[in-house]
Amino acid sequence: MIHDRLENFGLYVGVHPLFGHVAAALASGRLTALGVGEHDLGRGVRVGVSEYLTRPPGEGVLECHRRCVDIQIVASGRERIGVRHRDGCAAADYDEARDFQALVGEHDLLTLEPGSFMIFLPDDAHMPQLAVGAPAPVRKLVVKVPV
């Protein structure tokens, strides 16, 4: 898991061969202008833009993915994200079609706010969309990069 400021994203282009492609899209400013929904960025990279109310921590779901890396960016609002290494969790069945596995386990909380990002690799369990205090609106981009 990586948590940093967007201006530092270029430091991580060596982590994955497609992160340079993502860095170029971020630098262009076109990602933040996208409407709600799924968008193809080319090279197998896609971004989902969503708007929602954050939820109380007791309503969150710890998850991980096998076929993609998540890059999560909050465009507006703030949310907490639970984080834990997948090995420390009990796992439900893997849903191949959705590339989704629910997990159960203790986790730490980090705050994602505008100007920052988090990268979740396949071994990184994460519980997004948690409220910082009371539930509040968030606009978020989740970039899916194929492993």
Side-chain angles (χ1 to χ4, degrees):
M1 197 259 336
I2 296 169
H3 182 201
D4 202 345
R5 304 284 306 158
L6 279 171
E7 63 261 21
N8 295 328
F9 189 84
L11 297 173
Y12 305 99
V13 296
V15 171
H16 189 288
L18 292 173
F19 279 12
H21 180 64
V22 174
L26 286 168
S28 75
R30 68 184 174 122
L31 293 186
T32 55
L34 294 172
V36 171
E38 293 286 322
H39 306 275
D40 184 1
L41 298 182
R43 299 184 185 175
V45 178
R46 56 192 203 285
V47 61
V49 179
S50 57
E51 296 176 349
Y52 52 84
L53 282 177
T54 55
R55 53 186 164 204
E59 295 179 17
V61 176
L62 200 57
E63 65 185 61
C64 68
H65 314 287
R66 294 182 185 174
R67 294 191 320 261
C68 68
V69 173
D70 272 7
I71 302 171
Q72 299 196 12
I73 303 162
V74 167
S76 64
R78 297 172 55 206
E79 74 177 49
R80 294 259 169 113
I81 297 183
V83 296
R84 169 90 189 226
H85 192 278
R86 182 172 74 181
D87 287 349
C89 301
D93 289 338
Y94 174 67
D95 183 336
E96 179 79 30
R98 293 175 45 217
D99 186 31
F100 178 87
Q101 186 168 30
L103 305 163
V104 176
E106 296 294 318
H107 52 274
D108 295 318
L109 292 173
L110 298 173
T111 302
L112 186 60
E113 54 193 4
S116 64
F117 68 93
M118 291 183 184
I119 297 173
F120 298 103
L121 301 168
D123 284 334
D124 297 327
H126 52 287
M127 181 186 293
Q129 301 185 0
L130 303 178
V132 178
V138 165
R139 178 177 171 82
K140 184 173 176 183
L141 294 79
V142 178
V143 181
K144 299 280 191 178
V145 181
V147 174

